């Protein structure tokens, strides 16, 4: 094993960030029958994939504060066919992770999973998007958690300064 020695007497060269050369992998763009654009990056022969669904449904689209973020967060909390526990168990069983995020202009659902399980997971993602019911008890828990989170955040100077 070769040890790497660090030269502490001479500073490393400074490289201008403008001269930084970034090469992205080529992507494939196609449009689904319903007009939705799809961008695919073949990252090689990995056994994992990431599927990100991006919706123009962020905070700037809401008529009342927090509706976009609450809706996005509560997508995993129940459909007409499954309760929150069953949904979470399903994703966990397949070793996958479904993340939700809400930004100013967009809202996203990001699925991380093994390629071989995509057929079992995408139908549940579709169900979350098309059949969520937003149960009252889940909404009450969300509200309580958000109030507690806000209370803690208001004690942090970085949060208060950002507001």
């Amino acid at each position: 094993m070769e040890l790497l020695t660090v030269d502490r007497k001479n500073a490393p060269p400074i490289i201008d960030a403008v001269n930084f050369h970034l090469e992205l992998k080529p992507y494939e763009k196609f449009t689904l029958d319903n007009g939705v654009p799809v961008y695919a990056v073949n990252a090689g022969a990995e056994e994992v994939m990431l599927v990100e669904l991006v919706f123009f449904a962020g905070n700037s689209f809401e008529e009342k504060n927090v509706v976009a973020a609450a809706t996005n967060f509560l997508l995993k909390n129940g459909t007409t066919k499954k309760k929150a526990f069953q949904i979470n168990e399903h994703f966990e069983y397949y070793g996958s992770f479904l993340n939700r995020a809400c930004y100013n202009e967009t809202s996203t659902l990001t699925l991380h999973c093994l390629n071989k399980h995509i057929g079992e997971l995408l139908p549940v993602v579709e169900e979350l998007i098309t059949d969520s019911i937003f149960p009252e008890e889940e909404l009450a828990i969300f509200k309580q958690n958000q109030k507690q989170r806000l209370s803690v955040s208001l004690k942090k100077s970085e949060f208060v300064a950002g507001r």
Side-chain angles (χ1 to χ4, degrees):
M1 184 169 124
E2 185 179 323
L3 292 176
L4 185 64
T5 59
V6 178
D7 182 1
R8 303 224 182 252
K9 293 183 181 179
N10 297 313
I14 296 175
I15 300 171
D16 188 354
V18 175
N19 292 330
F20 184 74
H21 182 67
L22 176 65
E23 286 189 39
L24 299 174
K25 292 187 177 291
Y27 67 91
E28 195 180 327
K29 180 184 178 192
F30 54 94
T31 305
L32 299 177
D33 293 340
N34 61 2
V36 174
V38 175
Y39 297 87
V41 176
N42 185 349
E46 300 299 325
E47 294 181 7
V48 295
M49 72 168 27
L50 175 145
V51 176
E52 184 170 48
L53 304 170
V54 181
F55 302 93
F56 292 109
N59 302 331
S60 63
F61 291 92
E62 63 191 14
E63 294 178 16
K64 291 187 177 183
N65 288 339
V66 192
V67 170
T71 302
N72 185 278
F73 181 82
L74 292 170
L75 281 175
K76 278 178 66 177
N77 290 27
T79 67
T80 58
K81 298 177 188 106
K82 293 180 181 69
K83 296 210 177 275
F85 180 78
Q86 294 170 302
I87 293 166
N88 289 312
E89 281 277 307
H90 185 78
F91 285 104
E92 190 175 309
Y93 177 80
Y94 289 103
S96 64
F97 179 71
L98 182 69
N99 191 28
R100 292 109 49 229
C102 188
Y103 306 103
N104 192 39
E105 306 251 334
T106 60
S107 183
T108 63
L109 284 173
T110 308
L111 174 65
H112 302 264
C113 67
L114 293 173
N115 295 350
K116 65 184 179 181
H117 298 312
I118 193 69
E120 299 295 329
L121 296 166
L122 272 185
V124 178
V125 173
E126 177 188 19
E127 183 179 337
L128 297 178
I129 295 168
T130 60
D131 194 34
S132 286
I133 57 170
F134 309 106
E136 279 295 325
E137 62 273 9
E138 296 290 343
L139 181 59
I141 293 168
F142 174 79
K143 284 180 181 178
Q144 181 182 350
N145 289 343
Q146 288 302 103
K147 286 178 184 175
Q148 289 174 344
R149 186 174 289 128
L150 179 61
S151 176
V152 170
S153 294
L154 287 171
K155 294 175 183 166
K156 298 177 181 176
S157 58
E158 181 181 358
F159 178 83
V160 174
R163 288 185 83 187

